[in-house]
């Protein structure tokens, strides 16, 4: 971290810590009680607090109230600014700021010009994005302090995985200006994983987790290897095309067209800034309603040229018109898995995070990519799922409570590369068992992409009659076995049919594709690799069990320990690196 | 972590397995079986890891930099690849003419075209937005002309929608590779030139992998497979993109329907034309494909060779059969001639023998005549009869050889007694041999 100057944070004992998600669209604050994370509702009762500031008559508004001013006071309202922190003007995307204060170049950074003081004679102020962030964070922290009844001093803050050091430094400075110590930045997907892993019923296991964070203006997917509670990000993809606002746009277009159909001759509400703002505001509300109900209403007073407009839409219609966006999410998730060098069959869990993840269709579509055995953690697919909008803040709060006792320097030392960069084994290590048909099969003990040193134990059945047992330790690899279905006999007449559907194939053509019918069967199978060691365990009791423990050391040497469960002695040996 | 329980049993120890302390190291973790990665400094288990790793040690700035460099980076630079120069003419484009714009060129992806990945398109889009967003131009005091920005948005909309992208790719002439002209082909490079054509055409294939054209050394099976695949090409190419606009208002439903039908027919026609185009391409290509000629020649040479062999074999067989037949005929003739000769010589011998017998018989008869029938003076007819009767009796009892022998004994004898004694001897011999009964020969005994 490139923060300059001496840090004068509070002493560990004096801290009051929270977790903060400082999102581009929304932010959240959370704290922990009795190891449980809770997201705090602000004074407006919001747990997802729009990352927006608005100035009216010298009065500062933030959150939902500021968002409401996007209709009446857009030029003095600052929204979608988080991603501009630590960036130069030439590398920012101003798309989402069109309906609010526009970003402008200001030296090395980006700024907004708003009238933040009362009085006709006051000139507008140019606020750097750091200043805007500081003001916003102050409001967030103030809200948390009010709730907790004591001044919040420090926070763990979530950031996207591609937030660079410059951006982090800018955020640290903005927080400092708001009198907030940032204990640590943690990446958004890992915060979501931690939120799930910290649940009391959660069991620490080795698993591959895909975290799909579908937000307002961007979607980020990360593939995380979760290994005994240590998390390694294997791949990430970032996307600025398919996100919540793309779904808003679909509904905006839909209702605009409905409006024009009903009011022929009226002006298109999309052509007028104010009408457009109203359209956007209500479309988003309708979209959220469609996540819960199968029907939602849309109603705007004086949508265009004084004409009120009310309509309804059912979920099916919505899912039809938004199909191409939904499909974009699916492709994004698939591309992340591919980028990690994995197959969908390798994925144990998918965590859907971010506001857009409330959408049932998205969860259903994503679940279709993966095998039945993959858990899809979203409200519509798993009743015990955590609210996707709260995952990051909860993760941040949990991390904050974990490290609040540490000196800043201690945290700094513990989180830097010398500690976090560690060797990972790329092949699995396991033991050979026999299948029912007597063939050798690989039983993984330490999965691939596990950070070392690592230690894992399995209990394996002994041969039926006991006796002397061979414990053979090998490397293993997975590959995907594809079984093609029996080819269908449709040779005759297929030629003619082809010409036909080529002629009038339309947008629905991939639905009628007959690929779906003859789906091939794909399964993940382990391949036995090189043998690392053999050990003999003698005189095992009939019906006994054998415990095999593998220790992979940091130097890549492997220690094998095996003994009969409940027996004494055992065998131990080391394979050198 | 609780240990996993595995129900599939371990194998029993093989007969004769032995190792010191029952443990036998065999191999090592595969050489590139590890990589440096960054674990997230998050969660209680990381804290334990950090404690172990640091163990009262403070890492220097150097340590951190080195460690950072070793770690596999999962975030790539965003400002990478796409940087094609922007044609000033293109920047002047009107957004409403989006149908005729080259979407790839607008996004700076002209050299990728149908090969551009979705991620490349998204990155290219973002890069263009950063540069051309009208709000940025306005902020910089330039005019708020958002025409090209709209072109960018349209290009992205088309290219990120798989259906629309296929429609555009279907008619993306920039990605077409024209078939080589005669002149080009005259310079050789037949395989390279056509390879390029088919590589471009392959983008329309529903089936993958698409067999490649190969070169002059390609095996017959591959070439056959190539033409087979391409003559049965299953193309996703469609021509919606060239549809004429359908009137959007609700008023003119009939006109709308009419236009839709017209479009549909136009698409069908274009599709058929495209199929014909591809077929012609294949015909032209295969007509000049020396490999096909060679395979044909080789095939006919092989066929000829077979025919020659067969004919030679037939000829040989015929010759052999003829020779055999001739030999058989010769043999038969020879045998026949021999038989004839044999027969003839037999006849002669028989005749000779007969003659000899006759002659000898004459000798026998002559001998008794010479002996004057063993009487003095003229012999009576009865005597002569009796003597000759005996002579004939004897003659009748003996075979030609004996006749000859007897004649031999008698030949030259003139003295009656000598002659008589020969006869007497002969008769005695015959009687002794049982061929004559005692007293049967009356006078000569
Ligand atoms: N219940 C819901 N159903 C569908 N979309 C929702 C829901 N709640 C929030 N959203 C959408 O989620 C997006 C904001 O997600 P969030 O994770 O807060 O974004 P960011 O990460 O960009 O700050 C917005 O587009 C919002 O409309």
């Amino acid at each position: 971290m490139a923060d300059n100057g001496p840090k004068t944070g509070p002493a560990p004992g004096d801290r009051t810590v929270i977790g903060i998600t400082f999102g581009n669209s929304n932010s959240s604050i959370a704290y922990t009680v009795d190891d449980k994370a809770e997201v705090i509702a602000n004074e407006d009762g919001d747990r997802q607090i729009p990352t927006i500031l608005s100035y009216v008559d010298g009065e500062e508004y933030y959150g939902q109230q500021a968002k409401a001013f996007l209709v009446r006071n857009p030029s003095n309202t600052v929204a979608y600014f988080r991603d501009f922190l630590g960036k130069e003007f030439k590398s920012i995307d101003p798309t989402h700021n069109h309906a609010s204060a526009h970003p402008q170049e200001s030296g090395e950074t980006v700024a907004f010009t708003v009238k933040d003081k009362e009085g006709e004679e006051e000139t507008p102020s140019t606020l750097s994005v750091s200043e805007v962030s500081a003001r916003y964070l102050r409001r967030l922290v103030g809200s948390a302090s009010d709730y907790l009844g004591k001044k919040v001093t420090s926070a763990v803050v979530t950031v996207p995985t591609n937030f660079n050091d410059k951006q982090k430094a800018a955020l640290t400075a903005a927080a400092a200006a708001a009198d907030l110590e940032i204990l640590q930045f943690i990446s958004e997907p890992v915060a979501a994983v931690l939120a799930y892993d910290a649940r009391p019923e959660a069991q620490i296991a080795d698993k591959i987790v895909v975290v799909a964070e579908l937000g307002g203006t961007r979607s980020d997917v990360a593939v995380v290897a979760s290994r005994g509670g240590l998390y390694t990000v294997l791949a990430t993809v970032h996307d600025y095309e398919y996100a919540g606002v793309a779904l808003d746009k679909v509904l905006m277009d839909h209702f605009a067209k409905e409006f024009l159909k009903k009011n022929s001759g009226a002006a298109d509400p999309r052509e007028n800034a104010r009408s457009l703002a109203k359209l956007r505001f209500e479309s988003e509300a309708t979209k959220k309603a469609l996540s819960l109900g199968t029907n939602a209403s849309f109603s705007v007073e004086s949508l265009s040229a004084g004409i009120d407009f009310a309509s309804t839409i059912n979920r099916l219609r919505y899912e039809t018109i938004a199909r191409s966006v939904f499909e974009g999410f699916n492709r994004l998730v698939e591309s992340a898995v591919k980028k990690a060098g994995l197959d969908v069959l390798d994925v144990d869990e998918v965590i859907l995070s971010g506001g857009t993840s409330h959408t049932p269709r998205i969860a259903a579509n994503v679940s279709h990519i993966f095998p039945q055995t993959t858990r899809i953690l979203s409200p519509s697919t798993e009743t015990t799922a955590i609210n996707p909008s709260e995952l990051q803040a909860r993760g941040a709060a949990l991390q904050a409570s974990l490290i609040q006792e540490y000196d800043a320097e201690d945290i700094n030392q513990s989180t830097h590369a010398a500690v976090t960069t560690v060797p990972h084994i790329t092949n699995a290590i396991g033991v050979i068992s026999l299948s029912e048909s007597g063939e050798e099969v690989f039983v993984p003990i330490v999965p691939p992409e596990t950070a070392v040193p690592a230690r894992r134990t399995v209990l394996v059945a002994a041969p039926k009659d006991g006796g002397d047992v061979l414990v053979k330790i090998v490397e293993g690899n997975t590959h995907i076995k594809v079984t093609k279905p029996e080819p269908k006999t449709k040779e005759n007449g297929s030629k003619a049919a082809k010409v036909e559907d080529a002629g009038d194939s339309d947008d629905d053509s991939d639905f009628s594709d007959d690929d779906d019918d003859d789906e091939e069967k794909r399964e993940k199978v382990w391949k036995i690799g090189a043998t690392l060691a053999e050990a003999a365990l003698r005189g095992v009791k009939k019906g006994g069990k054998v415990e095999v423990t593998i220790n992979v050391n940091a130097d890549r040497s492997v220690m094998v320990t095996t003994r009969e469960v409940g027996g004494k002695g055992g065998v131990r040996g080391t394979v050198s690196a | 972590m609780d240990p996993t329980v595995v129900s599939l049993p371990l194998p029993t120890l093989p007969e004769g397995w032995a190792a010191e302390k029952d443990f036998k190291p065999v191999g090592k973790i595969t050489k590139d079986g590890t990589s440096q990665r960054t674990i997230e400094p998050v969660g209680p288990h990381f804290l334990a890891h950090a404690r172990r790793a640091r163990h009262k040690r403070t890492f220097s700035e150097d340590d951190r930099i080195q460690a950072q460099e070793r770690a596999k980076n999962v975030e790539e630079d965003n400002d990478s690849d796409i940087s094609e120069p922007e044609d000033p003419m293109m920047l002047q484009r009107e957004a409403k003419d989006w149908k005729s714009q080259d979407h790839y060129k607008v996004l700076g992806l002209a050299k990728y075209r149908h090969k551009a990945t979705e991620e490349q398109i998204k990155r290219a889009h973002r890069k263009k937005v950063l540069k051309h967003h009208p709000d940025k131009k306005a902020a910089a005091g330039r005019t708020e002309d958002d025409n090209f920005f709209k072109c960018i948005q349209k290009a992205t909309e088309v290219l990120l929608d798989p259906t629309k992208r296929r429609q555009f790719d279907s008619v993306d002439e920039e990605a077409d590779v024209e078939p080589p002209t005669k002149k080009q082909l005259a310079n050789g490079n037949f395989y390279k030139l056509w390879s390029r054509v088919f590589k471009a055409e392959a983008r329309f294939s529903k089936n993958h992998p698409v067999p490649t054209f190969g070169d002059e050394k390609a095996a017959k099976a591959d070439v056959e497979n190539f033409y087979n695949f391409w003559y049965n090409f299953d193309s996703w190419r469609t021509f919606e993109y060239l549809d004429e606009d359908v009137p959007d208002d609700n008023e003119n439903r009939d006109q709308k329907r009419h236009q839709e039908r017209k479009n549909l027919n136009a698409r069908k026609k274009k599709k058929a034309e495209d199929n014909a185009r591809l077929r012609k391409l294949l015909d032209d290509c295969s007509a000049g494909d020396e490999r096909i000629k060679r395979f044909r020649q080789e095939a006919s040479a092989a066929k000829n060779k077979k025919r020659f062999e067969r004919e030679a074999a037939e000829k040989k067989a015929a010759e052999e059969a003829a020779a055999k037949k001739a030999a058989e005929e010769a043999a038969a003739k020879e045998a026949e001639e021999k038989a004839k000769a044999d027969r003839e010589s037999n006849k002669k011998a028989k005749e000779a023998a007969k003659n000899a017998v006759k002659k000898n018989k004459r000798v026998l008869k002559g001998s008794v005549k010479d002996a004057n029938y063993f009487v003095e003076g003229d012999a009576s007819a009865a005597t002569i009869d009796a003597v000759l009767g005996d002579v004939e009796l004897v003659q009748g009892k003996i075979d030609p050889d004996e006749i000859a022998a007897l004649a031999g004994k008698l030949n030259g004898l003139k003295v009656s007694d000598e002659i008589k004694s020969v006869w007497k001897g002969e008769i005695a011999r015959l009687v002794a041999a049982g061929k004559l009964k005692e007293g049967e020969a009356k006078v000569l005994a």
Side-chain angles (χ1 to χ4, degrees):
Chain A
M1 271 154 274
D3 36 3
N4 326 309
K7 234 197 300 265
T8 49
D14 301 334
R15 281 184 188 132
T16 298
V17 302
I18 57 169
I20 296 180
T21 293
F22 180 39
N24 213 31
S25 318
N26 296 292
S27 297
S28 289
I29 40 185
Y31 74 113
T32 51
V33 261
D34 306 333
D35 294 335
K36 264 194 72 194
E38 293 282 355
V39 176
I40 298 169
N42 72 353
E43 54 278 16
D44 298 330
D46 294 325
R47 288 188 171 80
Q48 279 71 54
I49 305 164
T51 308
I52 303 177
L53 283 179
S54 186
Y55 294 90
V56 182
D57 302 332
E59 189 90 38
E60 182 184 84
Y61 297 87
Y62 87 112
Q64 194 56 43
Q65 293 188 38
K67 188 171 183 175
F69 282 119
L70 282 171
V71 175
R72 277 188 289 125
N73 183 29
S75 59
N76 292 315
T77 303
V78 186
Y80 300 112
F81 56 87
R82 195 263 333 245
D83 275 356
F84 300 161
L85 268 170
K87 290 226 165 161
E88 290 175 51
F89 183 72
K90 72 169 168 41
S91 55
I92 63 155
D93 174 4
T95 304
H96 302 292
N97 308 81
H98 189 69
S100 56
H102 290 195
Q104 67 206 58
E105 189 157 17
S106 166
E108 293 281 273
T109 67
V110 178
F112 298 88
T113 300
V114 290
K115 197 165 174 304
D116 61 340
K117 294 188 197 73
E118 200 180 5
E120 285 298 313
E121 69 285 1
E122 289 290 347
T123 50
S125 319
T126 295
L127 308 177
S128 71
V129 66
S130 293
E131 173 63 20
V132 172
S133 301
R135 289 186 181 187
Y136 180 80
L137 286 171
R138 194 173 289 132
R139 301 298 302 263
L140 270 191
V141 171
S143 198
S145 299
D146 286 350
Y147 182 90
L148 295 172
K150 47 190 167 176
K151 188 176 177 319
V152 169
T153 58
S154 318
V156 167
V157 180
T158 63
V159 288
T161 56
N162 63 349
F163 228 52
N164 63 30
D165 285 347
K166 212 174 146 203
Q167 290 171 286
K168 286 178 189 166
L171 182 47
T172 303
D179 202 15
L180 178 74
E181 175 199 32
I182 293 186
L183 292 173
Q184 188 189 353
F185 290 113
I186 66 173
S187 76
E188 290 171 352
V190 177
V193 177
L194 182 63
Y196 271 107
D197 274 355
R199 295 199 293 185
E201 68 270 29
Q203 288 191 346
I204 297 303
D206 290 331
K207 58 195 175 185
I208 296 288
V209 185
V210 169
V211 185
E213 290 178 52
L214 313 177
T217 57
R218 55 186 283 177
S219 292
D220 302 273
V221 183
V223 180
V224 181
S226 172
R227 300 289 185 237
L230 291 178
Y231 310 116
T232 304
V233 176
L234 300 179
T236 60
V237 292
H238 310 287
D239 179 79
Y240 303 87
E241 307 284 345
Y242 300 110
V245 295
L247 294 170
D248 297 342
K249 170 107 189 338
V250 166
L251 285 171
M252 286 160 71
D253 285 339
H254 169 79
F255 287 119
K257 282 184 194 151
E258 291 283 299
F259 173 81
L260 291 172
K261 228 185 257 171
K262 269 197 197 151
N263 303 283
S264 55
D268 189 332
R270 290 169 294 185
E271 315 253 287
N272 169 288
R274 185 145 180 177
S275 300
L276 187 67
K278 286 183 181 172
L279 189 62
R280 177 176 292 122
F281 197 87
E282 187 64 10
S283 290
E284 189 186 0
T286 304
K287 176 186 76 173
K288 289 185 185 175
L290 283 167
S291 290
L292 281 177
T294 50
N295 254 298
S297 60
F298 174 96
S299 159
V300 178
E301 268 175 41
S302 177
L303 176 56
S304 176
I307 306 169
D308 295 349
F309 180 64
S311 179
T312 59
I313 184 169
N314 66 32
R315 195 188 276 173
L316 206 67
R317 178 97 185 103
Y318 168 55
E319 290 174 354
T320 308
I321 59 179
R323 205 183 89 196
S324 76
V325 182
F326 291 152
E327 285 174 352
F329 289 129
N330 260 24
R331 290 199 303 276
L332 190 67
V333 171
E334 283 174 308
S335 73
V337 175
K338 201 169 150 208
K339 201 165 164 194
L342 297 177
D343 189 89
V344 290
L345 295 176
D346 292 314
V347 175
D348 301 292
E349 276 179 19
V350 178
I351 295 176
L352 287 175
S353 162
T356 302
S357 289
H358 286 279
T359 314
R361 178 86 264 160
I362 294 175
N365 284 0
V366 166
S367 77
H368 287 148
I369 309 175
F370 294 96
Q372 294 263 297
T373 48
T374 305
R375 282 181 75 191
I376 310 291
L377 295 165
S378 86
S380 61
T381 49
E382 191 112 1
T383 47
T384 59
I386 301 173
N387 181 344
S389 295
E390 296 189 355
L391 283 166
Q392 295 174 17
R394 286 179 181 229
L398 290 161
Q399 180 69 8
S401 77
L402 278 175
I403 61 170
Q404 64 176 325
E405 304 295 340
Y406 290 80
D407 288 340
E409 178 52 24
D410 223 13
I411 296 169
N412 195 18
Q413 282 285 337
S414 295
T415 55
H416 77 58
V419 176
T420 59
T421 305
V422 292
H424 286 59
I425 55 168
T426 48
N427 294 319
I429 297 174
V431 65
I432 295 290
S433 274
L434 296 180
S435 70
E436 269 116 52
S437 53
E439 277 161 62
E440 290 196 336
V441 290
F442 179 84
V443 174
I445 300 175
V446 191
E449 305 302 354
T450 298
V452 297
R455 172 200 165 98
R456 295 287 186 280
T457 299
V458 290
L459 302 178
V460 197
K464 210 165 76 223
D465 299 325
D468 295 350
V469 173
L470 174 69
V471 178
K472 187 172 170 184
I473 304 299
V474 297
E475 286 189 307
N477 252 318
T478 56
H479 73 113
I480 304 298
K481 196 174 127 203
V482 182
T483 322
K484 286 245 158 77
E486 292 290 303
K488 276 193 285 186
T489 48
K490 52 158 204 176
E491 274 321 294
N492 285 340
S494 66
K495 207 82 210 171
K498 248 172 234 163
V499 174
E500 199 52 54
D501 69 36
D504 44 36
S505 74
D506 52 19
D507 289 9
D508 289 327
S509 62
D510 46 352
F511 269 15
S512 57
D513 233 274
D514 45 16
D515 294 349
D516 293 356
D517 310 345
D518 41 28
E519 240 179 280
E520 51 191 25
K521 194 168 142 238
R522 305 175 76 253
E523 46 195 330
K524 177 167 129 177
V525 290
W526 283 101
K527 246 184 11 212
I528 298 170
T531 304
L532 298 178
E534 290 180 352
L537 208 57
R538 301 192 187 263
V540 176
K541 277 201 302 287
K542 191 171 167 168
K545 274 206 183 70
V546 175
E547 182 188 278
V548 183
T549 299
I550 303 278
N551 271 286
V552 189
N553 301 315
D555 65 355
R556 302 199 307 189
S557 63
V558 180
M559 189 170 83
V560 180
T561 318
T562 179
R563 61 180 188 100
E564 183 178 355
V565 175
K568 21 182 197 321
V571 177
R572 162 189 300 232
T574 301
V575 178
S576 63
Chain B
M1 262 169 56
D2 291 340
T4 321
V5 179
V6 181
S7 57
L8 293 178
L10 294 166
T12 41
L13 196 65
E15 207 60 53
W17 191 97
E20 197 184 321
K21 289 187 175 161
D22 274 346
F23 185 85
K24 197 196 282 181
V26 180
K28 298 170 190 300
I29 289 188
T30 314
K31 189 131 195 330
D32 40 42
T34 53
S35 60
Q36 296 286 336
R37 285 186 182 277
T38 303
I39 47 174
E40 297 290 319
V42 174
H45 296 269
F46 174 79
L47 285 185
H49 164 84
R51 251 194 317 273
R52 282 192 303 268
R54 284 183 60 199
H55 198 67
K56 289 198 201 121
R57 192 174 150 221
T58 316
F59 293 97
S60 70
E61 190 69 16
D62 273 358
D63 289 340
R64 22 194 314 183
I65 291 166
Q66 270 177 16
Q68 187 90 62
E69 279 169 356
R70 277 203 315 270
K72 207 170 190 166
N73 195 6
V74 294
E75 297 292 343
E76 69 276 301
D77 240 348
N78 263 339
D79 304 334
S80 45
D81 48 11
I82 309 116
S83 60
E84 287 178 12
E86 290 173 336
D87 177 356
M89 290 294 283
M90 180 179 77
L91 297 178
Q92 304 295 318
R93 283 196 69 94
E94 290 288 330
K96 66 174 169 27
D97 299 332
W98 65 271
K99 268 248 163 174
S100 64
Q101 87 184 9
D102 179 345
H103 300 309
Y104 291 113
K105 198 170 157 198
V106 166
L107 290 184
L109 291 167
K111 70 165 177 280
Y112 296 101
R113 307 225 149 252
H114 60 99
K115 291 192 214 84
T117 64
E118 182 168 3
E119 204 176 332
Q120 278 175 317
I121 294 166
K122 286 177 180 173
R123 277 219 298 271
H125 176 223
R126 199 164 160 74
K127 215 170 162 186
K128 293 289 174 193
V129 168
L130 297 191
K131 189 164 172 197
H132 293 285
H133 196 283
D135 289 352
K136 279 190 142 180
K137 289 188 187 166
R142 276 175 284 161
T143 56
E144 204 171 323
D145 167 20
D146 62 352
N147 244 324
F148 187 62
F149 182 68
K150 282 186 181 149
C151 295
I152 293 168
Q153 297 303 79
K154 200 67 206 182
T156 309
E157 181 196 318
V158 170
L159 296 184
L160 279 184
D161 181 320
T163 309
K164 287 185 189 155
R165 187 175 177 194
R166 278 207 160 175
Q167 290 174 4
F168 175 70
D169 282 342
S170 285
V171 297
D172 180 8
E173 288 174 2
E174 294 296 322
D176 283 346
V177 174
E178 290 299 317
T181 60
K182 283 214 178 74
K183 212 162 135 200
Q184 285 172 310
L185 286 170
N187 299 330
N189 278 342
F190 179 87
Y191 300 100
K192 222 161 130 195
L193 290 167
W194 279 107
S195 272
R196 282 213 296 263
V197 175
F198 287 109
K199 218 181 248 166
E201 293 292 329
R203 70 191 193 273
F204 302 123
S205 182
K206 278 190 195 165
N207 301 316
H208 289 277
V210 178
T212 49
F213 190 50
D215 56 16
E216 69 273 11
K217 288 190 285 292
K220 188 175 176 207
D222 292 338
V223 175
E224 276 173 357
N225 182 33
F226 173 86
Y227 281 107
N228 251 334
F229 182 93
W230 282 93
Y231 270 115
N232 295 302
F233 193 68
D234 197 354
S235 158
W236 50 254
R237 196 171 192 185
T238 75
F239 293 90
E240 276 102 316
Y241 203 82
L242 305 177
D243 279 358
E244 275 175 52
D245 287 344
V246 176
D248 206 10
D249 48 12
N250 296 328
E251 270 124 67
N252 221 329
R253 295 249 302 275
D254 285 341
Q255 202 187 333
K256 186 175 164 185
R257 217 168 286 154
H258 176 75
Q259 187 55 52
E260 277 171 354
R261 185 158 314 134
K262 234 171 100 181
N263 281 339
L264 211 62
N265 286 333
R267 281 184 218 164
K268 271 190 188 150
K269 189 162 160 250
K270 287 186 186 114
K271 180 78 182 171
E273 282 165 3
D274 188 52
N275 287 340
R277 178 193 62 86
L278 181 64
R279 210 156 300 135
K280 167 134 190 336
L281 213 66
L282 282 161
D283 289 347
D284 290 350
C285 175
S286 60
D289 194 335
E290 292 295 334
R291 296 173 304 185
I292 297 184
K293 276 181 211 154
R294 198 183 78 223
F295 295 142
R296 219 176 269 149
Q297 276 162 8
E298 279 170 7
S300 81
K303 222 161 89 192
N304 281 342
K305 196 173 155 215
K306 250 197 209 133
R307 206 183 70 216
F308 285 144
E309 279 169 6
R310 201 187 58 231
E311 282 173 3
E314 275 169 7
K315 199 170 150 205
K316 197 171 157 208
E319 280 168 5
E320 276 169 7
K324 197 172 155 210
K325 200 171 152 209
E328 276 168 7
E329 276 168 7
K333 202 166 153 201
E334 200 180 328
E336 199 182 312
E337 272 165 9
K338 188 166 172 262
K340 199 168 147 200
D342 280 356
R343 263 196 321 274
E344 265 162 25
S345 70
N346 251 349
K347 213 161 111 192
K348 272 186 195 144
K350 259 189 211 150
E351 254 161 37
K354 234 177 176 168
N355 288 340
V357 169
K358 262 187 207 158
K359 203 173 125 204
N360 289 335
K361 277 185 182 165
R362 264 199 308 274
V363 172
L364 263 42
K365 279 185 187 144
S367 70
V368 287
K369 193 182 168 197
D370 286 349
N372 198 29
Y373 307 104
F374 309 112
V375 289
E376 298 294 321
D378 288 343
S380 69
T383 303
I384 293 168
D385 260 4
V387 171
L388 285 178
D390 277 0
V391 168
E392 274 177 12
L393 178 74
V394 170
Q395 270 180 19
K397 297 293 177 191
I398 60 177
D399 62 24
D401 287 346
E402 286 164 325
I403 291 173
L406 185 57
K409 281 180 198 163
L410 294 168
N411 222 356
L413 291 185
K414 299 287 182 223
V415 182
S416 164
D417 284 347
E418 283 173 11
I419 292 167
K420 179 115 185 208
S421 87
V422 170
W423 281 106
K424 261 190 172 162
E426 183 65 15
I427 286 164
R429 191 183 66 85
L430 289 174
V431 170
K435 287 187 181 170
L436 264 184
K437 278 183 217 126
E438 193 87 49
E440 213 176 328
K442 282 161 191 112
V443 273
L444 286 177

